[in-house]
Amino acid sequence: MNRAFSRKKDKTWMHTPEALSKHYIPYNAKFLGSTEVEQPKGTEVVRDAVRKLKFARHIKKSEGQKIPKVELQISIYGVKILEPKTKEVQHNCQLHRISFCADDKTDKRIFTFICKDSESNKHLCYVFDSEKCAEEITLTIGQAFDLAYRKFLESGGKDVETRKQIAGLQKRIQDLEAENMELKNKVQDLESQLRVTQVSTSPGGSVTPKSPSTDIFDMIPFSPVSHPSSTPTRNGTQPPPIPSRSTEIKRDLFGAEPFDPFNCGAGDFPPDIQSKLDEMQRQRWRGSKWD
């Protein structure tokens, strides 16, 4: 492994100061992952981290998982790790939190750096695989450190505090954007539920009348408290009133009314039977007259 913070006399920087101070230098690489380390720097520290992450990736590769590709954006403010297609920031490693950076001389594809996490304050070692530009990426990070240190000396230390404040504001903006997206999703869910409720409710808030309950024979049960409907008139005349029966009703020994076919209302029997009953009624009347 090789430290890449200090500028070597036989090496010249590959990028202009403006490219790193006003913009950033992008690189594509494969991200093996990150792991916690006990020390903020050291060749043996990063070597153990590389060995550990390589073994973990070998197991995942045997299970059919591919090493994810990432885009690195290097500037005097830090190293951003993004998803190449969506440009979503996965990790934002501020430069003043990076304590060690190195490339592997035995495996020219591997380079690493150690960064202190802003939330947990743990030291994490990030390991990457780049087939052609591992050493170039390491030197670019070293150049970013060199420019940042010069600006620190020129500003008397104020520039570092400004960058810390900017980094804090950027993190706050990311948190607010995440909260905003969550609130938007909740609003969409509430609107969907409201539309479903409006569709199920009839217009004007009217309630659909319930049909009367029926018995097992699909008949509406008789209710003694229901009022009889008025009988429609024929040709504008009211039908004759129903004759009232005597209040004193003779009953048999069982308490039932005796059947009298002559007291039944008209229309209760067929015409032929009704005519015979009428004839019997007349004979009965004549007999009682002569008696």
Side-chain angles (χ1 to χ4, degrees):
M1 295 286 181
N2 177 36
R3 290 214 32 197
F5 279 146
S6 60
R7 177 177 178 180
K8 294 183 178 181
K9 294 182 180 180
D10 57 343
K11 290 285 185 180
T12 57
W13 297 130
M14 304 180 62
H15 309 286
T16 61
E18 291 77 11
L20 286 167
S21 60
K22 296 182 179 180
H23 305 283
Y24 60 85
I25 306 299
Y27 289 101
N28 293 323
K30 294 181 180 180
F31 185 33
L32 274 69
S34 62
T35 183
E36 183 182 356
V37 292
E38 297 180 356
Q39 300 296 327
K41 59 183 178 179
T43 302
E44 292 299 327
V45 174
V46 295
R47 182 181 288 117
D48 292 340
V50 170
R51 187 183 301 111
K52 178 181 179 180
L53 290 174
K54 276 187 174 181
F55 179 74
R57 280 298 169 186
H58 179 72
I59 295 176
K60 291 183 179 181
K61 187 176 180 180
S62 64
E63 295 175 352
Q65 299 184 20
K66 296 181 179 180
I67 301 177
K69 296 180 180 180
V70 295
E71 177 183 327
L72 302 176
Q73 294 181 357
I74 303 172
S75 68
I76 63 172
Y77 301 104
V79 179
K80 289 184 179 181
I81 305 172
L82 298 86
E83 206 284 327
K85 294 182 179 179
T86 62
K87 302 299 180 181
E88 179 183 358
V89 178
Q90 298 177 351
H91 303 277
N92 186 11
C93 303
Q94 301 169 14
L95 201 66
H96 68 276
R97 292 184 175 273
I98 297 177
S99 57
F100 190 81
C101 180
D103 58 273
D104 192 348
K105 296 305 178 185
T106 60
D107 189 349
K108 296 185 179 297
R109 302 177 305 170
I110 303 298
F111 69 94
T112 67
F113 63 82
I114 299 176
C115 180
K116 188 177 182 180
D117 185 68
S118 60
E119 296 182 356
S120 63
N121 286 328
K122 296 179 180 179
H123 292 93
L124 302 178
C125 182
Y126 294 81
V127 181
F128 302 88
D129 184 342
S130 180
E131 296 181 0
K132 298 180 179 180
C133 52
E135 184 179 5
E136 180 181 339
I137 294 174
T138 304
L139 292 174
T140 302
I141 296 176
Q143 183 181 0
F145 267 100
D146 184 71
L147 293 172
Y149 182 68
R150 290 181 183 180
K151 292 193 68 175
F152 171 76
L153 295 177
E154 294 173 357
S155 63
K158 295 180 179 180
D159 188 62
V160 175
E161 295 299 326
T162 302
R163 288 203 303 270
K164 289 182 179 179
Q165 294 177 2
I166 293 175
L169 291 174
Q170 288 177 345
K171 186 177 185 303
R172 179 58 179 163
I173 290 173
Q174 291 178 356
D175 294 340
L176 290 175
E177 288 178 348
E179 292 177 4
N180 188 29
M181 183 60 66
E182 184 178 356
L183 289 174
K184 285 184 178 179
N185 293 333
K186 289 183 179 180
V187 170
Q188 291 178 357
D189 293 339
L190 291 175
E191 289 178 349
S192 300
Q193 294 177 6
L194 181 60
R195 285 195 294 268
V196 172
T197 305
Q198 290 176 347
V199 170
S200 60
T201 306
S202 58
S206 60
V207 180
T208 304
K210 295 177 61 177
S211 59
S213 58
T214 57
D215 56 14
I216 58 174
F217 301 104
D218 201 20
M219 299 289 290
I220 300 176
F222 169 75
S223 176
V225 298
S226 61
H227 299 285
S229 59
S230 58
T231 306
T233 59
R234 296 182 180 179
N235 299 327
T237 59
Q238 292 290 339
I242 300 175
S244 59
R245 301 181 61 181
S246 175
T247 56
E248 296 182 0
I249 302 175
K250 297 180 180 181
R251 301 179 181 272
D252 58 14
L253 60 103
F254 297 103
E257 296 183 25
F259 174 74
D260 187 356
F262 302 105
N263 292 331
C264 296
D268 293 339
F269 301 99
D272 54 346
I273 296 177
Q274 186 64 42
S275 61
K276 292 181 180 180
L277 289 174
D278 294 340
E279 180 64 27
M280 293 173 64
Q281 180 70 14
R282 287 192 293 270
Q283 293 176 4
R284 181 182 178 184
W285 180 77
R286 294 192 189 100
S288 60
K289 182 178 181 182
W290 290 105
D291 290 340

